[in-house]
Amino acid sequence: MSIIQKSRSLCSRIWRSSAAPGLFFSTPWSSTQLRLKFCGSDVRPGNVIERKGKIYQVVKMMHRTPGKGGALIQVELRDVDSGNKVNERLRTDEAIERVYVEQKRYTYLYTDEETDSVVLMEPSTYNQVEVPKELFGGALAYLKDDMSVTVEMYDDKPMSASVPPRVTCTVVETPAPVRGIGATPHTKKALLDNGLTIQVPAHILTGDQLLIDTTDNSYMSRA
């Protein structure tokens, strides 16, 4: 059994001993934040955790194996209240308290450049909310009118925002295919209507509509 497997087994025992019976069903999410123990080795970017009495969102993580001692997890954390970022080291077998956030669906309306915010609408109530542009990260370029987006909330504060994993974009500029055996490269650059440049197969033409994977800005297929 590997070190990480042993760590997960240990954390599983910690979770079973600390979780209250019926925790998932005893009270609704709105009346209490659901919190569970999990392993340092299971921490992932986007997780919201409690550490040293503060609530953080995990921004980045990296496994490290020092010359001596057990494996460690290097994490970059963002303080939910202040927005400040800190770097911490977690043991792979360390019990971490994870705070589960609420996911809400909104409809994209527009981006307010003056306030650096994205204006969204709740479909059921038509209420409008503003979230910082930075919560979308690089996915900001994919926002389109009436697009359904997901916002993760903690204590009514937006933590992160995401677009659908697949969207359709139009090629506005790309080199024409070159005829001749051996003359045509396998891929080429294409400029999309949202301003992003990606690698596409050599047969793609200007004006083509493409299905794009928004998690890594990669070509999937013609739409």
Side-chain angles (χ1 to χ4, degrees):
M1 181 180 292
S2 67
I3 295 177
I4 291 179
Q5 287 175 324
K6 290 180 180 178
S7 300
R8 287 176 175 171
S9 176
L10 174 60
C11 285
S12 176
R13 293 197 296 272
I14 294 174
W15 177 84
R16 286 196 296 268
S17 65
S18 62
L23 177 62
F24 285 93
F25 308 103
S26 58
T27 52
W29 189 95
S30 58
S31 63
T32 180
Q33 296 287 344
L34 180 60
R35 303 186 183 196
L36 296 174
K37 300 287 187 180
F38 72 144
C39 268
S41 59
D42 290 325
V43 169
R44 295 292 182 269
N47 289 163
V48 179
I49 66 175
E50 180 174 354
R51 186 165 176 81
K52 300 177 181 178
K54 293 185 177 182
I55 304 297
Y56 295 97
Q57 184 177 37
V58 180
V59 180
K60 298 178 183 178
M61 61 156 291
M62 181 180 296
H63 287 268
R64 293 189 179 277
T65 304
K68 296 182 179 180
L72 297 172
I73 312 297
Q74 183 77 36
V75 293
E76 180 179 309
L77 306 174
R78 180 174 66 86
D79 189 315
V80 172
D81 292 323
S82 67
N84 295 332
K85 293 181 179 180
V86 298
N87 290 294
E88 297 266 349
R89 288 186 177 182
L90 310 175
R91 301 190 315 275
T92 56
D93 62 350
E94 185 173 348
I96 306 297
E97 187 167 3
R98 179 175 178 181
V99 180
Y100 281 82
V101 296
E102 181 183 23
Q103 289 190 339
K104 287 189 174 183
R105 291 278 187 177
Y106 291 94
T107 300
Y108 171 73
L109 295 181
Y110 63 93
T111 300
D112 191 332
E113 299 295 345
E114 292 185 0
T115 60
D116 283 333
S117 62
V118 174
V119 182
L120 308 173
M121 180 182 70
E122 193 168 9
S124 59
T125 64
Y126 301 104
N127 290 334
Q128 294 185 13
V129 299
E130 294 186 14
V131 301
K133 290 197 307 183
E134 64 181 17
L135 294 187
F136 282 93
L140 185 71
Y142 290 104
L143 290 174
K144 294 183 178 181
D145 292 345
D146 299 325
M147 175 182 279
S148 177
V149 301
T150 301
V151 179
E152 291 190 335
M153 312 283 288
Y154 169 76
D155 198 21
D156 292 328
K157 296 178 182 179
M159 297 291 302
S160 64
S162 59
V163 301
R166 298 173 180 83
V167 301
T168 300
C169 297
T170 302
V171 178
V172 297
E173 184 180 344
T174 191
V178 179
R179 294 187 178 183
I181 298 177
T184 304
H186 294 295
T187 63
K188 61 182 179 179
K189 292 182 179 180
L191 176 64
L192 305 179
D193 56 350
N194 59 10
L196 295 179
T197 298
I198 66 169
Q199 292 289 326
V200 299
H203 64 269
I204 296 299
L205 304 173
T206 298
D208 282 350
Q209 290 192 321
L210 310 180
L211 194 61
I212 306 299
D213 186 334
T214 61
T215 61
D216 59 4
N217 302 326
S218 64
Y219 165 87
M220 299 182 67
S221 67
R222 276 195 173 117

